[in-house]
Amino acid sequence: AAPGLSLAVRLALTPWWDGVADAIGGGPELVRGGKITLPTDEDFSSSQLEPRHPRTAVGQRRDGRIVLVAVDGRQSWSAGVDLRDLARELVRRGVVTGMAFDGGGGTAIAFDGRVLNTPSDGAERQISDALMVLYYGVYAPLPRFPVLSPNGDGVAEAQQLAYKLVRASKVNARLIGPGGRVVWSDKGEKEAGVYPIAPEGELREGTWEWVVTAVDEDGRESRAERRFSVNNTLGFLTLSGETLKVTRKGGGTLRLSFELAREARVSVTVQDHLGRVVRTILARTPRAAGAVAAAWNGRDDHGRAVRAGMYTVRVRAANEIGVADLAATVRVKRGR
């Protein structure tokens, strides 16, 4: 078929799908009845089925919920997966019925206008088909900070909340503080759009709720709820340097310090660039209020000098208020 040629296609389905409300094309089938259905007798080539590529799939759980999966590939940090590994991923996520979509450079997944994965072409590819899930109710993005700590250390000092309407609606938006007291509200008719708010004034420590209900012009009601906490227990994390030079014999020394506003159980870990814990410096250790100092010698939990690269020092403090954490990065360089 030459470009520009008009085609008329007739699909003969036997038996005819009179009872089908919606249908979607793709393949091959990966999961049926919670079991992997590979190898397949569908007409796909071995070059499509066997190598590791970026992959896309959709599945449905037993309770009816839909699972969308995109796997990056063809990149230095991710080679992708073959179809059997893609099927295993669906099963791990509770899928009982699932199939693959087109993969490769067309693999992309986005939410609310933001691409969530890293397409192998370096950007979104122009494609002719997509599976789109549309929601017409009120939507509230996640709060900017799950844990707010307005303690003056410059980290998570001010909260940002918002809600989004895609249709004109009658709205009731409320910010509810600890103890159930409404500290801010806004009611009325709103046009489609995004409505941000930045809570002002001193916010009490504890759990906060951001609740928005909306009734659109067709009378359909929807509700969005988000939670965040205010916790000033932990603050002022500092490292002795941005770079740590580690030798095989002598190791190195990175000093760190932070402050506790009240007693807490403190954990201090070092994670590599993949988020794996390579060293535990403190493990749920009770600490009184005040300054806390610790050090890392550039070695893992087995006493071996870590490899060169970026690492994250993460401090976590837990008490009756909740859990707060802080993180700082350090570059490790190896030396003789």
Side-chain angles (χ1 to χ4, degrees):
L5 180 66
S6 297
L7 300 176
V9 180
R10 179 176 180 271
L11 299 179
L13 303 176
T14 305
W16 185 253
W17 295 353
D18 292 325
V20 175
D22 298 281
I24 185 170
E29 181 185 45
L30 299 176
V31 181
R32 182 190 297 174
K35 305 293 184 181
I36 296 175
T37 57
L38 298 173
T40 181
D41 58 1
E42 296 181 55
D43 192 13
F44 291 91
S45 67
S46 59
S47 63
Q48 293 174 309
L49 299 174
E50 296 173 3
R52 297 173 68 180
H53 289 300
R55 300 284 187 179
T56 317
V58 61
Q60 189 171 32
R61 291 175 172 171
R62 198 172 301 279
D63 62 5
R65 288 184 294 170
I66 300 298
V67 176
L68 302 175
V69 174
V71 182
D72 288 335
R74 298 178 186 171
Q75 300 176 77
S76 60
W77 49 270
S78 178
V81 294
D82 60 24
L83 278 182
R84 186 167 290 276
D85 281 335
L86 183 62
R88 291 192 184 103
E89 183 64 26
L90 292 179
V91 172
R92 277 196 294 268
R93 297 183 180 276
V95 166
V96 295
T97 302
M99 73 178 192
F101 285 143
D102 181 41
T107 290
I109 187 168
F111 176 75
D112 199 23
R114 183 170 65 92
V115 178
L116 304 180
N117 72 313
T118 305
S120 61
D121 288 355
E124 291 174 276
R125 176 181 290 185
Q126 292 185 350
I127 57 176
S128 59
D129 61 349
L131 175 61
M132 305 181 72
V133 180
L134 305 179
Y135 175 64
Y136 292 103
V138 63
Y139 168 67
L142 290 171
R144 183 183 181 188
F145 299 110
V147 179
L148 190 69
S149 58
N151 53 13
D153 67 353
V155 179
E157 295 286 340
Q159 189 62 280
Q160 181 68 60
L161 304 170
Y163 65 90
K164 178 180 179 179
L165 299 173
V166 296
R167 292 179 173 180
S169 303
K170 184 176 181 180
V171 172
N172 181 10
R174 295 171 295 156
L175 181 59
I176 305 171
R181 185 173 68 91
V182 177
V183 299
W184 181 91
S185 66
D186 184 27
K187 299 180 180 180
E189 299 287 342
K190 303 286 185 181
E191 296 297 322
V194 177
Y195 295 86
I197 74 159
E200 298 179 352
E202 183 177 353
L203 300 182
R204 288 177 53 199
E205 289 185 298
T207 300
W208 290 70
E209 292 182 281
W210 171 230
V211 181
V212 187
T213 57
V215 180
D216 69 15
E217 52 200 6
D218 294 328
R220 289 179 294 193
E221 184 175 352
S222 57
R223 178 184 178 95
E225 298 183 22
R226 297 295 188 185
R227 288 188 176 188
F228 67 94
S229 64
V230 178
N231 190 340
N232 289 318
T233 297
L234 179 64
F236 302 93
L237 172 63
T238 59
L239 304 182
S240 59
E242 297 178 353
T243 303
L244 173 63
K245 186 175 181 180
V246 176
T247 62
R248 179 173 296 181
K249 293 184 178 181
T253 302
L254 178 74
R255 292 180 295 276
L256 60 111
S257 63
F258 53 90
E259 294 185 13
L260 295 175
R262 60 177 62 83
E263 183 179 359
R265 298 182 303 279
V266 176
S267 300
V268 180
T269 58
V270 180
Q271 300 175 356
D272 64 11
H273 68 287
L274 296 176
R276 298 174 299 194
V277 175
V278 298
R279 181 66 183 272
T280 299
I281 299 173
L282 294 175
R284 296 178 59 85
T285 305
R287 292 280 179 166
V292 180
W296 179 43
N297 61 1
R299 297 184 178 276
D300 62 20
D301 283 330
H302 302 287
R304 297 185 296 259
V306 300
R307 296 179 178 180
M310 295 300 298
Y311 291 82
T312 300
V313 177
R314 188 171 298 278
V315 181
R316 185 180 181 92
N319 54 22
E320 68 281 357
I321 300 297
V323 177
D325 67 348
L326 288 174
T329 57
V330 59
R331 180 180 295 278
V332 171
K333 294 184 177 181
R334 291 295 296 265
R336 296 182 178 179

